[in-house]
Amino acid sequence: MNPFNIHKGIVIPLDRANVDTDAIIPKQFLKSIKKTGFGVNLFDEWRYLDHGEPGQDNSIRKINPNFVLNMPRYKDGSILIARENFGCGSSREHAPWALLDFGIKVVIAPSFADIFYGNCFKNGILPITLDKIIMDQIFKKVEDKIGYEITVNLQKQKIYYDLEIVSFEVDSFKKSCLLDGLDDIGLTLKNKIDIKNFEKEYHESFPWLNSGENLK
Amino acid sequence: MGISLYEKVFNRHVVRKDNDTYLLYIDRHLVHEVTSPQAFEGLRLANREIWRKNSILAVPDHNVPTTDRTVEIEDPVSKIQVETLDKNCEEFNLLQFKMNDQRQGIVHVVGPEQGSTLPGMTIVCGDSHTSTHGAFGAIAMGIGTSEVEHVLATQCLIVNKFKTMRISVNGKLQFGVTAKDIALAAIGRIGTAGGTGHAIEFSGTSIESLSMEGRMTLCNMAIEAGSRVGLIGVDKKTIEYIKDKPLAPKGVLWEEAKKDWLNLVSDKDVIFDSEVEIDGNLIEPQVTWGTSPEMVSSITSKIPNPGDCKDKTLSSSYQIALKYMDLKPNTPINEISIDKVFIGSCTNSRIEDLRAAASIVGTKRIAKNIKLALVVPGSGLVKLQAESEGLDKVFKNAGFEWREPGCSMCLAMNADKLGPGERCASTSNRNFEGRQGQGGRTHLVSPQMAAAAAIYGKFVDIRELN
Ligand code: SF4
């Protein structure tokens, strides 16, 4: 995972609440066994007018000119803003993979669904929760100015837009993993002995939970 | 002050604590074909081992065809994904119920059915509906693929503790009102983000009266209320359900386990971070009318008018949803006619669901306007049981198709899907845009309501059929 610290980029406004992971990346694309290549199908059903299937040549598909990702003014955007409960629904990590593959580095919304929120951090995307009133302000600014850019500083936990600065909250562990681009499996495995000891004691206390020896 | 069921189970599994971050030990890891390939690949690339193979149960469910299984999967991409699971399970020597194994089925139906879901466990799966297993007094939650890899390699998960919410439902449920209706009514009340950041415990006399199947239906839908974890305290019904299941403890261990499990309830004096109370007597059969499970009404109501919403975002969500669903404000729910019916999914495909649906069908036939009515049992064992009770005949005689087990038209990753504009009464859990096929329109209901909709070609109040 790439480390994340400061990012400046064009803002793409997705003015919808409850954007679910089925919408972010429809199920037919989940059949891939890779982590890459999902970007062209990000928001597939909103972005194209025809039905998409994996492996298709997307350059010849009919695009929906009214969908934000297709509007020239948001070309090369890398910061997505949306409304409440972004990323609800399925746990599919294909959703952050698709956002990342498309070039999105930051998603800002008044609230996120839990699984999606966690999945973003694992993939070097920073999800930021901001107050609804500030979100309204940013939506307005994006509408008013073509190519509107903002800067996000994770270390300082601040967003800079025009002359304004707003702080955001982030869990300290998630923050440090993202700042350093850390592989958290490696980190957990540093506690190997703790886990082994715990496991032994645990199975002595609750032996019936290990009767799954009849598994494998 | 006492502690809640969630905290009791949580505390047993804490390996380490650093500030607000916990390393939590995981007892059971369920694996399916869609969210696991990249995790196994990650292990291989980093040259890592699987920590505890006997914690894993794998089963393909999302991509499998529900038609004749003796022929190969037609869609080559689906086929690769199912075969990749086979390969990974072989290479890492993991227990898998393959596509043609009689025990195969939807992972959340198979786990409890095998006794692989036990009270007090921490259970994870790369699937948001893992909350289902919380019905057994376990902490069960959906995880992403990175976390699947993390659990494979370390048997642990890095988590923060959730806040706790209790949804109490008391009273006698009316005829035809099911766990599904409780779930939809609760989501209608608190909204799809109402449970975000919380573990929801369901309690009260209405919940106690539910069978284990019903409790699973309810916990299954916790994620649609935004909560990764739904759970219910252990009682005699829980123990009775688990007894003699293939992977349940036996002999002395069983006796010990039982003693421990009966303590897995919230203490009487516990204070939850939030409380919601619902009058069970008043819940009516529910039907969703929009593209989010919170857009739900009772069968006796009308579709709301977006113009009446004070909140701007909500009003625009309603407008978008009604446009997609091709429905007009103020239409009575019982005037909505449908094209297809789907009875299945990890929410409502257990034997009790099929019995309930069949009891409504009886000797009647599906309405002329119904293009397709599917019954997809949750597992091979559910299918066998249903057939031994003659339920398959009830459905087939009525004009339903009786299929092989899998996720099927719940998310339409296999060949079962809605065409653009088709309207479906579905017992699944998500009515998102395109969920059951691009342009398809989903109305979430209970199995009884779906069966009745098939017979009458539109939504009807099943209480009137009593
Ligand atoms: S039945 Fe539907 S919700 Fe359940 S696991 Fe399968 S796809 Fe997911």
Side-chain angles (χ1 to χ4, degrees), chain A residues 27 31 51 93 199 213 216, chain B residues 25 54 146 434-435 438:
Chain A
K27 73 276 224 134
K31 296 177 185 180
H51 175 76
E93 202 157 319
E199 189 169 48
E213 298 314 347
K216 268 210 173 168
Chain B
Y25 186 76
N54 70 15
S146 298
R435 171 78 178 181
Q438 192 170 12

Side-chain angles (χ1 to χ4, degrees), chain B residues 34-74:
Chain B
V34 181
T35 52
S36 66
Q38 296 87 349
F40 284 111
E41 189 56 22
L43 281 189
R44 251 181 235 114
L45 290 174
N47 221 344
R48 286 180 175 133
E49 304 268 328
I50 291 185
W51 186 283
R52 185 166 158 250
K53 294 188 178 178
N54 70 15
S55 67
I56 296 168
L57 173 59
V59 63
D61 53 6
H62 286 63
N63 279 282
V64 299
T66 55
T67 45
D68 186 3
R69 292 273 172 84
T70 54
V71 294
E72 289 204 326
I73 301 179
E74 209 175 302

Side-chain angles (χ1 to χ4, degrees), chain A residues 16 22 27 30-31 34 46 51 89-90 93 114 174 183 188 194 199 202 210 213 215-216, chain B residues 13 16 25 27-28 38 48 51-52 54 75 81 145-146 150 197 411 413 430 433-435 438:
Chain A
R16 283 182 82 141
D22 276 81
K27 73 276 224 134
L30 270 48
K31 296 177 185 180
K34 298 201 211 96
W46 292 342
H51 175 76
S90 142
E93 202 157 319
D114 288 334
K174 290 194 173 79
D183 156 24
T188 300
D194 285 352
E199 189 169 48
Y202 179 79
N210 201 20
E213 298 314 347
L215 292 179
K216 268 210 173 168
Chain B
H13 293 87
R16 271 181 73 101
Y25 186 76
D27 292 302
R28 179 69 72 231
Q38 296 87 349
R48 286 180 175 133
W51 186 283
R52 185 166 158 250
N54 70 15
D75 176 350
Q81 204 161 52
T145 298
S146 298
H150 191 279
L411 95 161
M413 231 175 135
R430 287 188 175 136
E433 281 187 23
R435 171 78 178 181
Q438 192 170 12

Side-chain angles (χ1 to χ4, degrees), chain B residues 398-419:
Chain B
F400 284 87
E401 293 194 17
W402 178 250
R403 296 287 186 86
E404 297 296 324
C407 295
S408 179
M409 211 158 76
C410 171
L411 95 161
M413 231 175 135
N414 67 357
D416 311 334
K417 46 180 86 117
L418 296 180

Side-chain angles (χ1 to χ4, degrees), chain A residues 15-18 20-23 27-35 38 44-46 48-54 83-85 88-94 97 111-115 118-119 122-123 132 136 171-174 183-189 191-196 198-199 202-203 205-216, chain B residues 12-16 21 23 25 27-28 34 37-38 48 51-56 63 75 77-78 80-81 84 93-95 118-121 126-128 142-147 149-150 153-156 158 160 162 192-193 196-197 223 226 228 246-247 249 253 256-257 260-261 294 311 313 317 320 411-413 430 432-438:
Chain A
D15 197 358
R16 283 182 82 141
N18 294 314
D20 60 76
T21 52
D22 276 81
K27 73 276 224 134
Q28 62 270 34
F29 306 106
L30 270 48
K31 296 177 185 180
S32 164
I33 53 174
K34 298 201 211 96
K35 286 190 187 181
F38 296 106
D44 198 273
E45 290 183 5
W46 292 342
Y48 301 97
L49 293 168
D50 55 356
H51 175 76
E53 280 297 327
R83 302 295 186 178
E84 285 85 355
N85 200 24
C88 60
S90 142
S91 65
R92 59 188 71 165
E93 202 157 319
H94 312 69
W97 294 337
S111 60
F112 289 90
D114 288 334
I115 305 182
N119 282 343
K122 310 271 179 192
N123 292 284
K132 199 169 174 285
D136 283 343
D171 171 77
S172 58
F173 178 74
K174 290 194 173 79
D183 156 24
D184 59 7
I185 298 182
L187 227 54
T188 300
L189 284 174
N191 303 311
K192 206 170 183 165
I193 299 185
D194 285 352
I195 305 173
K196 282 255 182 272
F198 174 90
E199 189 169 48
Y202 179 79
H203 284 147
S205 307
F206 308 105
W208 50 87
L209 293 187
N210 201 20
S211 62
E213 298 314 347
N214 25 14
L215 292 179
K216 268 210 173 168
Chain B
R12 287 181 174 191
H13 293 87
V14 176
V15 177
R16 271 181 73 101
T21 306
L23 194 60
Y25 186 76
D27 292 302
R28 179 69 72 231
V34 181
Q38 296 87 349
R48 286 180 175 133
W51 186 283
R52 185 166 158 250
K53 294 188 178 178
N54 70 15
S55 67
I56 296 168
N63 279 282
D75 176 350
V77 214
S78 286
I80 292 177
Q81 204 161 52
T84 305
N93 190 27
L94 305 173
L95 175 63
L118 298 173
M121 275 185 163
D127 193 283
S128 60
I143 56 178
T145 298
S146 298
E147 290 178 314
E149 186 179 338
H150 191 279
T154 70
Q155 207 57 40
C156 293
I158 302 169
N160 305 114
F162 291 126
T192 45
T196 303
I223 185 67
R228 275 172 97 167
L247 298 174
L253 279 182
E256 279 182 47
D260 176 60
W261 291 344
E294 70 185 21
D311 183 272
T313 316
S317 296
I320 295 171
L411 95 161
M413 231 175 135
R430 287 188 175 136
F432 300 157
E433 281 187 23
R435 171 78 178 181
Q436 295 194 290
Q438 192 170 12

Side-chain angles (χ1 to χ4, degrees), chain A residues 133-175:
Chain A
I133 297 169
I134 300 174
M135 292 293 317
D136 283 343
Q137 258 181 35
I138 300 181
F139 265 101
K140 177 84 181 42
K141 286 177 183 284
V142 173
E143 195 187 305
D144 291 348
K145 188 179 168 206
I146 292 180
Y148 188 74
E149 286 187 312
I150 63 177
T151 302
V152 174
N153 185 319
L154 175 59
Q155 180 65 51
K156 295 195 172 140
Q157 296 183 213
K158 288 200 183 346
I159 298 175
Y160 303 83
Y161 60 108
D162 294 338
L163 293 174
E164 319 256 357
I165 303 174
V166 56
S167 304
F168 59 88
E169 295 290 319
V170 57
D171 171 77
S172 58
F173 178 74
K174 290 194 173 79
K175 176 179 172 178

